[in-house]
Amino acid sequence: MAQKISNPPDARALMHGARSIGNYDLAAAFADLIDNSITAEASGISIICRYMDGEPVVTIKDTGIGMSKQELIAAMRPASGDPEDERDINDLGRFGWGMKSASFSQAKALTVISKHSSGYSGAKWDLDNVDEWSMEVFDSIESRDILEAFEVEILSETGTVIIWEKCDRLTDGGEIQSASFNSI
């Protein structure tokens, strides 16, 4: 009889490969994240792109229902959705890769901070440190500190903030001038 073994993918290879899933340009990456905000019943969405002396940071903030810590961890899991599962009519996602692949198509670090009725939670994937599937998870205080560090207004009600760092796909060879950044 055949032996069954566990044969998980290499974390680094899979996550770096996810950068090409969906063939995103910047507008398509934003559109995918906005779809998530619509699904979360957001009445407002803001996108802020900051040059930061050649180290661009992009934040996408919505006023949706937010995610609990467990919901956020599930949302950050690669391939977190089964395309055969029945979905809510307003759910535009399908495979559970959208937020991750849209974000990684533009940046190597993805931080998500969410405020749900249960409080703040946060998580971060950094493709430079993803071996053994290591993802950072933040408590309420750390999550609020991250928002403050990135000069993002603390969420007064519920909502979610996505932060892109290491935006290497927005740059040419890792460097970008202010005028080029502004035109993008």
Side-chain angles (χ1 to χ4, degrees):
M1 176 178 276
Q3 176 186 10
K4 286 190 174 185
I5 64 168
S6 177
N7 191 11
D10 177 87
R12 184 170 175 77
L14 181 64
M15 294 299 275
H16 279 267
R19 301 190 81 192
S20 299
I21 294 173
N23 197 26
Y24 291 97
D25 61 8
L26 181 60
F30 284 150
D32 206 330
L33 298 177
I34 290 168
D35 284 349
N36 291 346
S37 296
I38 291 168
T39 299
E41 304 172 14
S43 60
I45 303 166
S46 64
I47 299 172
I48 300 172
C49 306
R50 287 181 275 156
Y51 180 64
M52 307 293 289
D53 295 322
E55 299 288 334
V57 172
V58 176
T59 57
I60 301 99
K61 177 181 175 182
D62 75 34
T63 58
I65 59 174
M67 294 177 275
S68 68
K69 180 179 179 179
Q70 293 310 312
E71 289 170 328
L72 175 58
I73 289 170
M76 292 290 276
R77 182 180 307 116
S80 59
D82 184 337
E84 295 184 4
D85 285 350
E86 190 168 326
R87 298 174 298 143
D88 184 273
I89 194 165
N90 296 322
D91 187 354
L92 303 172
R94 187 103 186 123
F95 302 101
W97 268 109
M99 177 179 63
K100 284 82 64 181
S101 60
S103 297
F104 293 141
S105 75
Q106 306 302 313
K108 291 173 72 177
L110 164 64
T111 302
V112 179
I113 306 295
S114 196
K115 185 177 182 189
H116 183 262
S117 59
S118 61
Y120 280 94
S121 58
K124 178 178 184 175
W125 281 115
D126 183 338
L127 296 185
D128 289 334
N129 187 19
V130 73
D131 297 328
E132 302 300 321
W133 296 106
S134 58
M135 177 182 80
E136 294 178 82
V137 177
F138 308 111
D139 65 23
S140 182
I141 293 171
E142 292 168 320
S143 296
R144 291 175 59 145
D145 288 347
I146 290 167
L147 292 178
E148 287 180 18
F150 284 101
E151 299 175 5
V152 176
E153 185 178 321
I154 300 296
L155 299 163
S156 59
E157 299 296 325
T158 59
T160 299
V161 177
I162 293 174
I163 302 168
W164 293 347
E165 297 174 89
K166 301 181 182 181
C167 298
D168 61 328
R169 299 273 174 98
L170 296 179
T171 64
D172 185 18
E175 295 181 17
I176 191 167
Q177 299 303 314
S178 178
S180 298
F181 177 74
N182 287 335
S183 72
I184 291 173

